[in-house]
Amino acid sequence: MSARPLPEDARTVVVGAGIMGLSIAYNLARFGAERVLVLDGGYLCGGASGRNGGGVRAQWSSETNIRLMRRSIALCDEFATKMRINVWFRRSGYLFLARSDERARQLEASCALQNEHGLSTRILDPTGIKKLVPQLDVSRVVAASHNPDDGVVFPWPFVWGYAREAQRLGVELHTHTRVLDLETEGERITGVVTDRGRVRAERVICAAGAWSPELTRKVGVELPSRPHRHEICSTEPLKPFLEPFVGDLGTGLYFSQSMRGEIVGGISNEHVPEGLDQASSLRFLALYARSLTRAMPILGGVRVLRQWSGCYDLTPDGNPLVGPVDEVPNLYLASGFMGHGFMMAPIMGELYARHLLFGEEPELFERWNLRRYAQGNLLSETMILG
Ligand SMILES: Cc1cc2nc3c(=O)[nH]c(=O)nc-3n(C[C@H](O)[C@H](O)[C@H](O)COP(=O)(O)OP(=O)(O)OC[C@H]3O[C@@H](n4cnc5c(N)ncnc54)[C@H](O)[C@@H]3O)c2cc1C
């Protein structure tokens, strides 16, 4: 891919070939955009998009996220047929556990909002939870919310599918091509300087995940998001027995069973310092194993086969950074997606392409704009894992 020379100029340069950059590039090309160039300093799936748990859900506490994710799940549903690649999408539901009355009340309020928006979410008591996952220890669980239509995908083919189809539609994709600098004239970006040469650019989309603050700093734009390592692991394959993706919003523990039978999961670790670190630790394994086996004692003897990590791009209010930057009008952000950017990429790509090509102004480009931090309009979302 990177053996070809870079073009001299591009209408749109997307920095980052993770799921977000590729979904935007694919959708731009799908709606007829030309001269779209995607650059990535590493390899496909090298960032968070190749390192995540593949969870896809519409259970959220804010109306924006519920609406967006309903559409994103519909796009996931048709992805395999449309993109001609198997993404192992399994709609086996998400089960969120509450271990306190306060958390249970939050889940109930979110469930009511989700029902208003057409989701089949319902609240389960410990007996109902046991029916769904008999192996769960519910002795300290107060309630849970369950939406049978949420699911899990295998992230890699999702990334490959977007990359292949985007290129088929004319997008130029260069991996192993790092953007070192952004050139400007006045307040506008005029080009990107890479380790393989320079490209003139009419607009730049920053889809660099946790590396985004590094990139925008080149033009003096300070993002409020910060990178944080998040670890995850998978076990030896087991005979299928676990239906839903299980999440505990209190501890940040989550796990699901992949279609190959592995238990894939992780847990929040507030002691991880800020930084672009993708290492693995024994401390995580101990923390995860303790929490997992407390929740599912039956998994006590299961062997871990693989452990890895990736970077969350954490924003102070738990919501992404999307849309144009006021100070640099041809710089667009698609970053700050925390631990849920994978599931949002299908709908974000579509909205972005419509915004750039047809001037559509989705309300969330205002709501999630960087300027909310200067204006003090911070948002809230309580159903965040990790
Ligand atoms: C362990 C873990 C579990 C997760 N679980 C889930 C989940 O279950 N569901 C979910 O929806 N989300 C999950 N996420 C979050 C999700 O993976 C991310 O939000 C999403 O992948 C972000 O996609 P992205 O394209 O913005 O970033 P990335 O995939 O990180 O891509 C950014 C790309 O930009 C490139 N880049 C950076 N700087 C430059 C530069 N200067 N020049 C060129 N290229 C550059 C990088 O090489 C990288 O490939 C998880 C994340 C982790 C780490």
Side-chain angles (χ1 to χ4, degrees), residues 203-274:
R203 65 177 161 228
V204 170
I205 300 177
C206 170
W211 294 265
S212 297
E214 253 181 27
L215 185 74
T216 63
R217 214 166 281 142
K218 312 271 184 210
V219 286
V221 174
E222 199 55 49
L223 301 184
S225 54
R226 292 290 172 260
H228 271 270
R229 180 181 67 180
H230 189 89
E231 298 187 58
I232 181 167
C233 70
S234 91
T235 67
E236 60 188 330
L238 306 172
K239 194 171 165 184
F241 73 98
L242 177 62
E243 270 288 306
F245 181 115
V246 180
D248 181 335
L249 292 164
T251 60
L253 172 74
Y254 66 90
F255 54 95
S256 68
Q257 187 168 28
S258 76
M259 280 177 86
R260 292 178 306 280
E262 305 132 339
I263 302 295
V264 179
I267 189 166
S268 316
N269 183 353
E270 60 197 28
H271 301 295
V272 173
E274 178 183 312

Side-chain angles (χ1 to χ4, degrees), residues 311-382:
C311 283
Y312 273 21
D313 185 17
L314 292 184
T315 58
D317 70 357
N319 283 278
L321 296 164
V322 169
V325 175
D326 290 339
E327 295 77 15
V328 187
N330 63 342
L331 172 64
Y332 294 81
L333 300 177
S335 67
F337 281 93
M338 314 279 297
H340 49 262
F342 202 88
M343 63 179 89
M344 292 210 162
I347 181 62
M348 286 314 305
E350 194 171 274
L351 291 176
Y352 235 114
R354 287 182 178 282
H355 174 66
L356 293 176
L357 298 179
F358 313 129
E360 286 182 17
E361 291 284 351
E363 164 258 345
L364 71 93
F365 275 60
E366 178 58 40
R367 187 184 288 250
W368 285 352
N369 196 284
L370 173 61
R371 78 175 74 90
R372 74 178 183 273
Y373 283 94
Q375 295 170 340
N377 291 335
L378 300 196
L379 309 163
S380 76
E381 169 56 69
T382 55

Side-chain angles (χ1 to χ4, degrees), residues 6 13-16 37-42 174 176-183 189 191-197 199 204-205 208 211 214-216 218:
L6 293 175
V13 174
V14 180
V15 184
L37 173 67
V38 183
L39 302 174
D40 198 292
H174 290 262
H176 300 97
T177 308
R178 177 154 293 278
V179 174
L180 304 174
D181 208 353
L182 299 171
E183 293 180 330
I189 296 175
V192 297
V193 180
T194 79
D195 52 5
R196 298 183 50 237
V199 182
V204 170
I205 300 177
W211 294 265
E214 253 181 27
L215 185 74
T216 63
K218 312 271 184 210

Side-chain angles (χ1 to χ4, degrees), residues 83-85 159-169 173:
M83 312 296 263
R84 296 172 295 127
I85 192 159
V159 173
W160 298 331
Y162 270 138
R164 189 181 62 188
E165 287 303 294
Q167 289 178 96
R168 195 179 61 76
L169 295 171
L173 167 62

